[in-house]
Amino acid sequence: MSSLAPPSVLLLPTGYYLVGGAFAVAISFLVLALLPAESLDRFWRRRLPLFAFSDASRIAISLISFAGFAILIVAGLFGSRDPLSNPLPLVIWTLLWAGVTLLQGVFGDLWSWLNPWVGPWRLVSRLSGGNNEGAWCLPRWLGCWPAVILFFAFAWFELIDPAPDDPARLALAAGLYWLFSFLAMLAFGYRAWSPSGEFLTVFFSMVARFAIVERNEDGRLGLCWPGAKLLAAAPLPTSGIAFLLLALSSVSFDGLSKTFFWLGLFGINPLEFPGRTALIGSGTFGLVLTFVLLAAVFLLAVWLGQRLAGSDHTLGQAAGLLVWSIVPIALAYHVAHYLTALLVDGQYALAALSDPFALGWNLFGTADIQIEAGIVAGADSAWWLWNVQAGAIILGHVLAVLVAHGFAWRLHPQPARAALSQFPLTLLMIAYTVFGLWLLATPTAG
């Protein structure tokens, strides 16, 4: 993302963290390989029941969310031109993309309540006297390829477009996307288009499977281990595999694209950063290349694992299950990458929401708050910030090994075959841990 927070260069003793991170992932694999399957199964199945939660207000909250979104679009078009005082870029890039993703990963599917489409769709459907189904049917072979294409467009706009923070430009893009999705929901039905074409719903629903809060069919909430709900997931089709790998590769490329190493490959002096307009070609190439390389290496690791285990499962079946282990890694990268933006730009968002049209209002009493940018500046702040980010990446990879091993048991009930099947994938996770920690510590520009 084009973070509005001030950039910083963290030059820390990276070698210790790289070795420690790789060691943690490797040890977790060895421990899992030695533990009996019954112990792991009991571990994942543990639940702590809480209380029931009704769906009665879901439509009302969605309509409020839509009204708020409409106000933000108007603010983007007619409010301040400064992206640090206009609430639209701050809400979309910081509160929604960074903040809601984190909340989804901890508390579950909050997006199903905040979704700004379901309320208007239900209202229009009732007023028109239609049913909940659309006039046309989506072919089953389409899977969630529409969401993959739209997510790539979103990632391109976020990472490559010259001015994704420009309020008017962002208002036009967000408004057109809402209208396009709404018309698709009317045409194909909300339940058909939302899980296959609306990329935010697809992304947030995948992230929510990692959460520690679970809601059963009766509406009762309960606590579970992080990632436990992933193990109950069905294998993803090819389009779902592509979507999850794209989610991870895009945030990885966001970090890579700003490094001195990447800029040097294209003959760019990072100390004289030319701006995003000069990097459109190399950025588009890098975004595609990162996805292709990650997909190729992941599929190769799964294929090698199945060969080592002597599996009779197809590559699609194995990859469709094991790709769910990407979710903890993608969430960890998301937290590490956007933590600075959340801490600084989140404060700007609170101020901007009190005065959305730059008219001197103070709706929530936060318009005049003092922005504490120093929370991410200085040696002491850099130390704790980098350790939180590094810890998130290491923990995400360790949990990914746990989840992958659980799926390995579903594919191969025999302990030796399950462990063998995970060896190449564990090597990939170790390499990605090292890569992620290197991204945090290497000098960046822009």
Side-chain angles (χ1 to χ4, degrees):
M1 191 196 80
S2 177
S3 172
L4 302 176
S8 59
V9 176
L10 302 179
L11 299 176
L12 297 174
T14 320
Y16 294 103
Y17 296 93
L18 297 182
V19 173
F23 183 75
V25 177
I27 288 297
S28 63
F29 168 77
L30 292 176
V31 171
L32 289 171
L34 297 175
L35 282 176
E38 295 77 12
S39 299
L40 291 174
D41 187 61
R42 287 195 300 269
F43 171 82
W44 287 118
R45 289 181 180 275
R46 288 178 181 173
R47 298 292 188 273
L48 177 63
L50 295 176
F51 51 86
F53 198 78
S54 172
D55 281 338
S57 58
R58 188 186 297 268
I59 301 301
I61 293 175
S62 175
L63 288 171
I64 294 172
S65 177
F66 167 70
F69 174 75
I71 293 172
L72 288 174
I73 294 297
V74 174
L77 293 173
F78 304 106
S80 170
R81 298 298 89 200
D82 181 5
L84 286 176
S85 59
N86 191 298
L88 179 64
L90 291 163
V91 168
I92 288 183
W93 296 130
T94 303
L95 300 187
L96 174 64
W97 187 235
V100 172
T101 299
L102 177 58
L103 293 176
Q104 287 275 124
V106 176
F107 299 109
D109 198 9
L110 302 177
W111 176 248
S112 64
W113 296 77
L114 300 174
N115 187 319
W117 285 282
V118 63
W121 168 78
R122 182 64 62 84
L123 186 62
V124 170
S125 296
R126 289 181 177 177
L127 290 176
S128 63
N131 54 29
N132 293 336
E133 304 298 329
W136 295 291
C137 293
L138 283 172
R140 294 188 61 181
W141 59 263
L142 197 60
C144 62
W145 283 116
V148 174
I149 295 170
L150 290 169
F151 187 85
F152 181 85
F154 168 80
W156 189 95
F157 181 77
E158 178 196 11
L159 305 178
I160 314 299
D161 186 86
D165 296 326
D166 178 71
R169 192 180 185 91
L170 182 57
L172 181 63
L176 288 176
Y177 176 69
W178 186 93
L179 181 61
F180 168 80
S181 297
F182 186 67
L183 293 176
M185 291 170 186
L186 292 178
F188 301 107
Y190 176 82
R191 292 181 181 85
W193 180 257
S194 186
S196 61
E198 205 291 283
F199 76 88
L200 286 173
T201 299
V202 176
F203 176 76
F204 285 139
S205 64
M206 289 179 171
V207 170
R209 283 189 169 273
F210 180 78
I212 61 172
V213 179
E214 183 180 54
R215 189 168 185 263
N216 62 22
E217 296 177 355
D218 299 325
R220 181 169 293 278
L221 299 178
L223 294 180
C224 60
W225 292 110
K229 292 184 290 183
L230 289 170
L231 291 173
L236 284 173
T238 303
S239 58
I241 297 171
F243 188 95
L244 262 179
L245 293 173
L246 180 60
L248 176 57
S249 66
S250 62
V251 71
S252 298
F253 176 70
D254 192 6
L256 176 65
S257 64
K258 299 178 178 67
T259 63
F260 286 14
F261 166 77
W262 176 261
L263 295 173
L265 292 178
F266 298 92
I268 296 171
N269 183 353
L271 301 179
E272 298 177 1
F273 190 70
R276 291 168 64 113
T277 303
L279 302 176
I280 290 178
S282 61
T284 303
F285 168 75
L287 183 61
V288 174
L289 179 65
T290 307
F291 167 70
V292 171
L293 288 179
L294 177 60
V297 175
F298 171 77
L299 292 175
L300 178 62
V302 173
W303 179 80
L304 286 175
Q306 299 310 296
R307 291 295 299 270
L308 287 174
S311 174
D312 55 358
H313 296 285
T314 66
L315 178 61
Q317 291 172 333
L321 273 179
L322 292 170
V323 75
W324 282 113
S325 64
I326 294 292
V327 172
I329 300 175
L331 183 60
Y333 271 70
H334 207 92
V335 172
H337 186 72
Y338 295 120
L339 180 59
T340 301
L342 269 175
L343 293 174
V344 178
D345 295 348
Q347 299 176 66
Y348 282 105
L350 291 177
L353 286 171
S354 274
D355 188 15
F357 302 106
L359 297 175
W361 298 351
N362 194 5
L363 299 176
F364 307 110
T366 57
D368 300 319
I369 64 171
Q370 185 70 32
I371 306 299
E372 295 291 342
I375 193 172
V376 296
D380 291 339
S381 297
W383 184 88
W384 75 259
L385 181 66
W386 202 90
N387 276 278
V388 170
Q389 293 171 313
I393 287 180
I394 293 173
L395 180 60
H397 282 79
V398 170
L399 289 171
V401 172
L402 284 167
V403 172
H405 203 78
F407 282 122
W409 276 102
R410 283 177 58 177
L411 292 167
H412 313 289
Q414 298 85 357
R417 293 179 65 190
L420 281 173
S421 72
Q422 288 307 290
F423 184 68
L425 194 57
T426 301
L427 291 179
L428 172 59
M429 290 180 179
I430 291 174
Y432 221 83
T433 304
V434 173
F435 172 67
L437 295 174
W438 173 78
L439 282 180
L440 287 179
T442 193
T444 58

